[in-house]
Amino acid sequence: MKFTFVTLFSNLVKGYFQDSILKRAIDKDIFSVDYLNPRDFSNNKHFKVDDTAVGGGAGMVMNPQPLFTALDTLKKQEEDIHIIFMTPVAKPFSQNDAKRLAKKSHIAFVSGRYEGIDERVIEEYADEVFSIGDYILTGGELASLVICDAVSRNIDGVLGNSDSLSIESFETPLLEAPSFSKPKNYEGNCVPSEYLKGNHSKIRTLKIALSECKTKFFRPEQHLKHKITKR
Ligand code: ADE
């Protein structure tokens, strides 16, 4: 699997792969990451990549030419590439998308800056367009990292223990039950006593009850879905 970040600011992205689980996966050749800067493809003598919006409106919009040329180059290098644009004006990214995308061989994330990307680029090249939530970031880089992280932990071999994938929140409508580590009593704050008694059937029942409570409180719409699917 390969990820290509198409971005004007690759340094915003690079640091994330320099530590922890994703670094280990790259070191083990489970996936690789590279970067493409649209500015390197600009025909403008000053390597300009943006301009004012046609029809008015605040801010600058990324021009079509550098992105058309960059993405044409990428597609010529690899036919099987899956191109994803990050914008707040799109379908919300979900865990199901993360699992589905983990089966692709090469994903390119195209990040906009300024007021966004000329729509003609998205129409021409997007296989998919995602938002990571109902708020506006200063650019798509963080959004593409969020998606890349969520996708890559679903690639075989990235997580040490693949069991941890199947019991996570969003695998079912219920949010995950709370977890505790040692000590059992930290300055008077105790782990629920049932967790300590070793009766696994009782622990499972308690975890389901706690999951239901959390889901009802934080995500009432998910709780409703759980009640309907349980029937
Ligand atoms: N770019 C700016 N805001 C964004 C968001 N919420 N999701 C995806 N891309 C973005």
Side-chain angles (χ1 to χ4, degrees):
M1 164 70 118
K2 183 172 176 181
F3 297 106
T4 300
F5 289 84
V6 181
T7 168
L8 295 170
F9 301 105
S10 60
N11 284 341
L12 293 178
V13 177
K14 282 179 180 161
Y16 196 68
F17 298 101
Q18 284 168 8
D19 228 325
S20 192
I21 293 171
L22 300 191
K23 175 183 188 301
R24 209 164 53 226
I26 292 170
D27 290 345
K28 284 203 272 177
D29 279 335
I30 297 173
F31 67 84
S32 63
V33 177
D34 68 3
Y35 303 89
L36 204 62
N37 188 339
R39 200 178 293 286
D40 296 338
F41 296 86
S42 173
N43 289 341
N44 178 277
K45 64 177 176 195
H46 303 296
F47 299 101
K48 211 164 122 51
V49 289
D50 61 338
D51 216 323
T52 51
V54 175
M60 306 292 271
V61 177
M62 285 177 73
N63 294 136
Q65 182 276 315
L67 280 165
F68 264 67
T69 313
L71 294 173
D72 273 345
T73 307
L74 206 53
K75 285 183 80 156
K76 268 190 206 122
Q77 283 165 4
E78 189 159 347
E79 275 176 18
D80 210 17
I81 192 161
H82 192 75
I83 302 181
I84 299 177
F85 282 71
M86 250 50 60
T87 152
V89 188
K91 135 184 150 162
F93 178 72
S94 73
Q95 181 68 7
N96 278 341
D97 296 313
K99 287 198 289 189
R100 177 175 54 80
L101 292 169
K103 298 190 179 81
K104 300 278 179 205
S105 58
H106 188 172
I107 295 176
F109 297 107
V110 186
S111 299
R113 279 266 144 187
Y114 318 119
E115 282 306 303
I117 294 174
D118 188 302
E119 193 70 17
R120 290 167 290 183
V121 185
I122 301 174
E123 282 183 11
E124 183 69 23
Y125 293 98
D127 292 305
E128 291 190 72
V129 188
F130 283 119
S131 162
I132 61 156
D134 291 340
Y135 39 79
I136 316 288
L137 303 167
T138 54
E141 285 77 8
L142 262 182
S144 57
L145 271 178
V146 165
I147 294 179
C148 181
D149 184 293
V151 170
S152 46
R153 65 195 291 288
N154 282 284
I155 300 172
D156 276 351
V158 170
L159 294 187
N161 176 4
S162 60
D163 283 354
S164 55
L165 282 176
S166 63
I167 50 160
E168 288 177 324
S169 297
F170 308 113
E171 297 298 326
T172 75
L174 285 186
L175 300 181
E176 218 174 317
S179 310
F180 301 92
S181 122
K182 287 152 193 121
K184 294 167 190 168
N185 179 343
Y186 181 71
E187 295 185 355
N189 301 293
C190 295
V191 170
S193 58
E194 209 65 73
Y195 276 53
L196 307 174
K197 291 181 192 156
N199 182 331
H200 292 289
S201 146
K202 280 196 172 168
I203 294 174
R204 206 172 314 118
T205 308
L206 175 63
K207 281 191 167 180
I208 292 171
L210 292 172
S211 282
E212 285 182 336
C213 277
K214 278 211 156 191
T215 311
K216 193 169 180 185
F217 187 76
F218 288 118
R219 299 292 297 271
E221 82 294 352
Q222 289 275 118
H223 188 252
L224 208 60
K225 206 160 136 192
H226 164 67
K227 277 183 25 194
I228 292 164
T229 51
K230 227 170 68 169
R231 272 195 212 137

